[in-house]
């Protein structure tokens, strides 16, 4: 049972409460394994992207730009609102930048490098962002 990640055993005749417990475990496991996505819309259409594929977000004016390794999308929103819809692997490093810690190639004194692009870390967010990035790069997850 351990080798195939069994969620539970049901003995015949199956009791409703035992079946409910196994179904609840199965639902939890499916949610855990489902890719975490970010959804948005713009004038071109509606999009749902895996958070793993997103490198970073930046804001300019009233628009937010989502950057992946091969494309950039623009939509109207606020970066604070976007941050609230993302997992903890996304870290605010500047008033204008929200980055995916998984995409960071290097952390330097006042910047991070993602996909060959250097993004600034603001003085106000430096200590919090540096700690979160260090934890993420060391494989310990992101501190909240």
């Amino acid at each position: 049972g351990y080798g195939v990640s069994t969620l539970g055993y049901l003995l015949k005749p199956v009791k409703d409460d035992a079946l409910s417990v196994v179904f609840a475990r199965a639902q939890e496991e499916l949610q855990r394994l489902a890719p975490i996505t970010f959804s948005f819309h713009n004038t071109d259409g509606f999009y749902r992207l895996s958070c793993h594929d997103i490198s970073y977000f930046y804001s300019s004016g009233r628009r937010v730009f989502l950057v992946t390794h091969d494309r950039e999308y623009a939509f109207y929103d606020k970066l604070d609102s976007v941050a609230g819809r993302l997992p903890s692997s996304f870290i605010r490093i500047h008033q204008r930048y929200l980055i995916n810690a998984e995409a960071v190639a290097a952390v330097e004194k006042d910047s991070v490098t993602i996909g060959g692009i250097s993004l600034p870390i603001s003085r106000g967010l430096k200590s919090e962002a540096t700690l979160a990035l260090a934890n993420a790069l060391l494989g310990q997850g992101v501190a909240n």
Side-chain angles (χ1 to χ4, degrees), residues 14-29:
V14 176
K15 296 181 181 173
D16 288 344
D17 57 338
L19 185 60
S20 295
V21 169
V22 172
F23 276 141
R25 286 182 190 153
Q27 187 175 17
E28 288 173 9
E29 185 68 11

Side-chain angles (χ1 to χ4, degrees), residues 31-44:
Q31 288 175 350
R32 186 183 71 78
L33 295 174
I36 299 171
T37 60
F38 178 78
S39 301
F40 64 95
H41 72 307
N42 60 20
T43 56
D44 296 329

